Amino acid sequence: MYIVVRTDPGTPRFLTGSPAGHFKGRDPSVAVAALTEAWVDGAEVLYVGKATAGCSGRRGLDVRLDEFRRFGAGEAARHWGGRYVWQLADATALLLAWRETGDADSADAKADLIAEFIAAHDARRFANRIRGRQTRRAAPNSGTDSLDSV
């Protein structure tokens, strides 16, 4: 799993258009009003992503992060998730971190973190616009998101 972190506690400034790539001809830009509505004050972790080895066993974290980087740089890379990140005026100052999930399924781990955040904030993370795997395990009832305390 990987996370995108914004350490600036100030109010974000949003770009009117996204510099990210147009994958399959789709413009990743959203209205500033939608970005403003999606923003969660006080949350440092803006996006949780996952990486798997894929069917061929050749994908993994390095490939997924490269797709995320290339998409944000304007290439038509295969990384639609997290696209709100690229409309932040300070997107180049964001931090990226990752954590191995061991034997745990990364899709389940991602869905659990999203569910924990929703339980704590009554909102989705800024750039996680879907809840993750629909058949996810029940999230722990901790009431806090361990990645937001990083």
Side-chain angles (χ1 to χ4, degrees):
M1 295 178 31
Y2 58 98
I3 61 171
V4 177
V5 178
R6 182 175 187 259
T7 59
D8 181 346
T11 303
R13 190 171 59 83
F14 301 113
L15 304 175
T16 57
S18 177
H22 287 62
F23 184 66
K24 293 188 176 183
R26 297 187 324 183
D27 184 350
S29 301
V30 296
V32 170
L35 297 169
T36 302
E37 184 177 329
W39 188 256
V40 179
D41 286 329
E44 291 180 317
V45 177
L46 305 180
Y47 179 68
V48 175
K50 66 176 178 59
T52 63
C55 297
S56 67
R58 294 186 189 180
R59 290 192 54 77
L61 185 63
D62 59 338
V63 171
R64 193 67 178 146
L65 292 179
D66 187 54
E67 289 171 347
F68 185 63
R69 178 197 59 78
R70 289 185 307 113
F71 181 67
E75 294 182 33
R78 202 178 122 189
H79 202 299
W80 192 253
R83 68 186 177 278
Y84 282 23
V85 163
W86 303 113
Q87 270 184 262
L88 284 165
D90 62 350
T92 59
L94 299 176
L95 302 176
L96 188 69
W98 60 91
R99 174 171 80 182
E100 291 192 27
T101 57
D103 291 336
D105 182 271
S106 61
D108 285 340
K110 175 183 174 177
D112 287 347
L113 287 175
I114 292 170
E116 286 177 18
F117 187 88
I118 291 170
H121 297 279
D122 198 28
R124 293 182 183 148
R125 276 187 208 285
F126 172 68
N128 283 110
R129 303 320 312 154
I130 59 173
R131 290 180 184 258
R133 180 176 280 176
Q134 293 297 318
T135 58
R136 67 164 189 78
R137 299 181 313 266
N141 292 323
S142 66
T144 62
D145 186 334
S146 59
L147 287 180
D148 261 345
S149 64
V150 173

